[in-house]
Amino acid sequence: MESQKGLLIVFTGDGKGKTTAALGMALRAAGHGMRVLVLQFIKGAWTYGELVSLKKIEEIEIKPLGTGFTWKKENLEEDRRLAEAGWREAVSEINGGRWDMLVLDELNIVLSLGLLAVESVVEVLGNRASCHIVATGRNAPRELIAIADLVTEMKVIKHPFLDRGMKASKGIEF
Ligand code: ATP
Ligand code: MG
């Protein structure tokens, strides 16, 4: 009998809390002995605090993808090539059957910037097996939202960077 398809979960919106919500879910799953792989689409999106903590949890593995993005208009083709190479790695992990949960941190950003083709990402995620998939990042494309099981939009009510020009706080942002 085919095992049940995993859930596709999307955390999007302008408000803070998308990556940390995905991490909370990874932590929850790890407590059940579930194996979790976290793929970081954007280097630097993850900081010291969570990297140090996650290394202590043996059920959770972290893998950086897409290092070297330039984010420069004149290098769009190079960034696209890097995003595609990262995505190929993600696909082999999604289809490899080793994981109970996969976090695709900042995938939504890479899609919304047009660095990856939404149709091919939607096709792979739509054909996932029993592994749960959590995608984070602002501006999740509607095609991804359409096939997701759970979508939460974080909405800014207040943020100290915006309201008070405050710098990033230890334990809160990094
Ligand atoms: P977090 O990693 O804290 O859960 P996030 O994943 O929702 O945040 P990103 O869009 O990945 O947010 O941005 C990461 C960083 O930008 C965080 O340090 C966060 O505090 C900051 N940030 C998030 N939302 C806002 C906002 N609306 N205004 C200013 N800074 C923000
Ligand atoms: Mg984030």
Side-chain angles (χ1 to χ4, degrees):
M1 199 181 83
E2 201 192 324
S3 58
Q4 210 183 351
K5 211 174 190 182
L7 293 171
L8 177 57
I9 298 163
V10 177
F11 293 130
T12 193
D14 289 344
K16 175 173 161 59
K18 301 172 289 295
T19 294
T20 43
L23 278 181
M25 222 166 237
L27 201 58
R28 186 172 275 173
H32 292 278
M34 292 165 72
R35 296 178 45 79
V36 183
L37 176 66
V38 180
L39 297 172
Q40 300 173 254
F41 273 90
I42 296 177
K43 192 189 165 198
W46 281 52
T47 66
Y48 183 84
E50 60 262 34
L51 288 172
V52 170
S53 299
L54 289 174
K55 283 202 178 110
K56 298 179 186 166
I57 301 173
E58 73 185 47
E59 288 85 356
I60 304 180
E61 198 174 301
I62 309 165
K63 203 168 171 181
L65 298 174
T67 42
F69 284 124
T70 64
W71 307 114
K72 288 187 183 137
K73 235 194 241 157
E74 62 272 24
N75 287 329
L76 190 63
E77 280 315 308
E78 173 65 4
D79 283 359
R80 223 172 241 155
R81 204 183 54 72
L82 286 166
E84 278 160 13
W87 176 246
R88 276 195 294 277
E89 222 175 312
V91 172
S92 81
E93 297 290 4
I94 292 165
N95 295 331
R98 282 182 65 203
W99 308 102
D100 300 303
M101 179 182 288
L102 254 135
V103 175
L104 304 172
D105 191 48
E106 310 301 347
L107 174 70
N108 304 342
I109 299 276
V110 176
L111 287 171
S112 75
L113 293 174
L115 296 178
L116 282 177
V118 180
E119 311 75 61
S120 56
V121 170
V122 161
E123 192 188 335
V124 171
L125 297 185
N127 288 318
R128 69 195 175 277
S130 60
C131 160
H132 300 299
I133 295 186
V134 187
T136 85
R138 296 173 186 217
N139 302 321
R142 59 184 156 66
E143 296 92 329
L144 184 64
I145 290 173
I147 63 157
D149 301 292
L150 192 169
V151 181
T152 299
E153 182 176 8
M154 276 67 178
K155 178 176 181 295
V156 200
I157 307 286
K158 281 187 174 183
H159 194 296
F161 293 4
L162 302 175
D163 300 327
R164 293 195 277 131
M166 198 175 154
K167 285 201 205 123
S169 307
K170 177 163 74 180
I172 310 295
E173 271 96 22
F174 65 94

